[in-house]
Structures are given as C-alpha cells and as structure tokens.
Amino acid sequence: MRNFTTVNDIGDLKDAVKEALEVKANRFGYKHLGVDKTLLMIFFNSSLRTRLSTQKAAMNLGMNVIVLDVNQGAWKLETERGVIMDGDKPEHLLEAIPVMGCYCDVIGVRSFARFESKKDDYEERIINQFIRYSGRPVFSMEAATRHPLQSFADLITIEEYKTVERPKIVMTWAPHPKALPQAVPNSFAEWMNATGYDFVITHPKGNELAPEFVGNAVVEYDQAKALAGADFVYAKNWSAYTDPNYGQVINLDRSWTVTTEKMALTNNAYFMHCLPVRRNMIVSDDVIESERSIVIPEAANREISAQVVLKRILEGLK
Ligand code: CP
C-alpha cells in the first residue's frame, strides 16, 4: 500500500479484517517492520483517539514518531496558491510539505473540511497536496470528506460483535450544536456499502449526504422505521451537504437523540459512535452507559486499524 485515503486503498475487506484480527492477537509481532523508520503525524485539527491510537500503532511496529500540531508552535501555513502573503501566515504549504517529507518515512494527516468551499473540501485539496508534494506515503487521519481509519475500526468492531452473517446496520443522524463535517458518515457509508450488510441511513429531510457516498444504501426519513430490527445503531451528527446550506446546522431536533425508547425498537442492537460524543444531544446517558454500548471497544480498535494500515505501508516501502 502506498497511500490510504479511502476504502478502495485497503483491497478485499474480508482479508483486511482477517489481518486486523491477526494483528490484534499479536500486535508486537511486526516490530521489525518499523525499525529506523519515522512516522510524522500532522494535525490541522484537534484529536484524542486518532493521535493516541495511531502513535501507539506506530510504536507497536517499532517506529519513531514525530507529532506536529500545525496550529500550535509551527508557522501558520498558507494553503492557497496565488495569495500575496502579506498577512499572518509566513509559510506556504508548498514549501512546508516537501520539507516535512525530508524528516520522515510516512506521513499521517488530519485536516477537516473548512466549509469555505464545498468544491475545495470535496476535492480533498489539503491531503492531496501532501500526496503530491511530500514524496512519502500518506494516510488520512480524517480528511475533509472521509475518516477511513475510523471506518475500518468500525468494520472490525461489527465483525467482532455480529451474530448473523448479514446484520442490519442503521446509521442515524442526531442533533449537535456545532457544524460538523460529513467525513465520518460519508466514510462509514462508503465502507458499509462495500460489505454485504443490510445498510440503512436515517436523517431529517435536508441532511442528505452526497449521493456518491450514499450509494445503494436505503435512506429512510422516519427514524423509528429505520431502527426497527437493527442489529447495530451507528449515531452521528453531520451538517448539511446540499446547497445553499453546505456546512450549516439546519436542524437541532432533539427528537432524533438516541434514547432507550429508540433502542427498544431494534433487535437488541449494539450502540456505536466514533467519539467524542455530546451526551443527551446525540445519545442519552442510559444508552451510552448500557451493556449494549460498544463505543469503548470501537475506540480501542482504532489502534488496530491504524496498525494494519501502517504495517501495509511499511511492507510497501522500498
Ligand atoms: N473518532 C476520532 O477520530 O476521535 P478524535 O477526533 O479524538 O481523534
């Protein structure tokens, strides 16, 4: 593997999950791959899980790790070409990226949607510039439109907990006070569509995701109908994708919060969320604390998804 930004980069999903379970059972068995190799993790946005799990995965593989928070201690970066740089950004990404590439063997990038331009966000301008100009393998630690390390961890978790071959997975929108990107739901939909699962998306009218991510999923605007018979409930907020409301909070309807009453409609479903989660907006205390909540094992699998991706990138280094 050279770069990892979408489900297409991981190949056969059954093989990927099998490898993930092998790595999970023997996470220190591949240390030789990372000796004298350096991972540079670049964060344009905050993180708890991605930062810790990816660093742990790299350490499991024997790698050295450098972490750069671009907005804390580094020069502020201009990202647009053609700008007269007479403002508060003294360095351009087009110099910074190849310089960063000089100090490492692999680069992980976190760069959220900015909501300034849907076109720029959906062209993945930031991570694609790293792929183009760094000279190093690059993997996404959540980009503008996808969060593939999260989705891979979600898939591993579902495979560990499912009791039927083809479970019903329901991704439900839930309210949140701030505008959140579509990266997690886009990516989850992309990965679920690549499995043989029964996959349903439910959200209020106006919160439709981009059609290329919805794919063949069933979209059901009635949340109660969608939840009926679900084996897994995956809650997430996302801001509007469709124009003219791109990147805006257009709905705060707390009747969409996942509660015990909602979970009673399901087939005793497991509750999932990528975290961080706002309690009693997205999900009630009772549900997230219930024995059917698997948010902690789901987060733990972030170490495993990151380790499989790093392992494959290291195996591909010349
Ligand atoms: N789920 C996830 O990516 O968490 P962080 O934003 O804390 O990394």
Side-chain angles (χ1 to χ4, degrees):
M1 181 190 286
R2 174 74 185 176
N3 302 305
F4 176 72
T5 62
T6 85
V7 70
N8 299 323
D9 297 319
I10 200 83
D12 184 85
L13 289 185
K14 281 194 167 47
D15 289 347
V17 170
K18 184 167 172 278
E19 187 173 337
L21 298 178
E22 284 164 8
V23 162
K24 192 167 181 174
N26 183 25
R27 61 189 83 192
F28 304 112
Y30 306 90
K31 258 197 152 109
H32 58 283
L33 291 172
V35 172
D36 295 337
K37 295 284 187 291
T38 299
L39 168 65
L40 174 57
M41 297 165 61
I42 300 166
F43 288 91
F44 288 84
N45 309 95
S46 302
S47 166
L48 187 152
R49 279 143 291 274
T50 304
R51 177 184 301 257
L52 297 179
S53 62
T54 309
Q55 188 160 355
K56 177 66 165 59
M59 293 190 303
N60 293 350
L61 289 163
M63 299 185 83
N64 301 309
V65 183
I66 305 171
V67 181
L68 178 68
D69 288 293
V70 170
N71 298 319
Q72 290 172 19
W75 302 113
K76 274 195 183 170
L77 294 176
E78 177 55 62
T79 58
E80 300 308 310
R81 217 171 148 270
V83 169
I84 297 170
M85 289 173 59
D86 59 354
D88 66 341
K89 294 174 181 164
E91 178 146 29
H92 202 287
L93 204 61
L94 290 176
E95 283 78 57
I97 290 173
V99 168
M100 293 182 208
C102 295
Y103 307 138
C104 64
D105 300 282
V106 182
I107 301 181
V109 181
R110 165 162 287 202
S111 176
F112 291 172
R114 298 175 172 195
F115 295 145
E116 289 164 4
S117 153
K118 180 156 89 174
K119 182 170 172 291
D120 287 356
D121 288 342
Y122 274 71
E123 283 177 358
E124 290 287 7
R125 291 185 57 164
I126 300 296
I127 196 160
N128 281 335
Q129 290 192 79
F130 275 90
I131 290 171
R132 189 162 171 198
Y133 297 115
S134 71
R136 301 295 176 202
V138 172
F139 65 96
S140 168
M141 299 195 299
E142 185 171 345
T145 65
R146 294 176 175 89
H147 193 356
L149 285 177
Q150 180 65 51
S151 308
F152 187 16
D154 297 335
L155 174 63
I156 296 165
T157 310
I158 291 168
E159 284 293 305
E160 287 179 318
Y161 280 84
K162 75 177 189 184
T163 55
V164 292
E165 187 55 32
R166 189 169 179 265
K168 178 175 177 183
I169 318 288
V170 178
M171 179 169 76
T172 180
W173 180 94
H176 190 283
K178 301 247 192 291
L180 296 186
Q182 296 104 32
V184 169
N186 281 347
S187 201
F188 187 72
E190 187 170 62
W191 284 65
M192 291 301 103
N193 281 325
T195 69
Y197 301 157
D198 177 4
F199 180 49
V200 178
I201 304 174
T202 183
H203 56 74
K205 289 207 165 133
N207 279 97
E208 288 76 13
L209 292 167
E212 65 266 32
F213 290 102
V214 174
N216 293 326
V218 172
V219 176
E220 170 57 68
Y221 292 104
D222 182 331
Q223 190 192 37
K225 261 194 204 168
L227 291 173
D231 297 300
F232 292 85
V233 174
Y234 192 94
K236 187 71 186 83
N237 172 269
W238 59 88
S239 60
Y241 167 77
T242 47
D243 295 324
N245 297 319
Y246 176 67
Q248 291 176 24
V249 176
I250 56 166
N251 194 330
L252 280 167
D253 182 356
R254 285 182 47 205
S255 73
W256 281 78
T257 301
V258 179
T259 60
T260 301
E261 294 70 32
K262 302 274 179 66
M263 292 299 283
L265 301 170
T266 71
N267 182 28
N268 196 23
Y270 287 108
F271 176 80
M272 301 179 72
H273 189 281
C274 63
L275 305 180
V277 69
R278 292 194 183 230
R279 285 177 174 224
N280 304 308
M281 288 293 295
I282 302 278
V283 59
S284 69
D285 290 323
D286 288 349
V287 170
I288 198 163
E289 291 171 8
S290 77
E291 61 178 25
R292 302 302 281 180
S293 168
I294 52 173
V295 296
I296 305 303
E298 180 184 0
N301 277 334
R302 290 294 308 277
E303 177 184 341
I304 307 306
S305 63
Q307 190 167 338
V308 171
V309 168
L310 280 170
K311 173 177 171 286
R312 288 187 176 191
I313 289 173
L314 289 170
E315 286 167 345
L317 285 180
K318 297 265 185 306

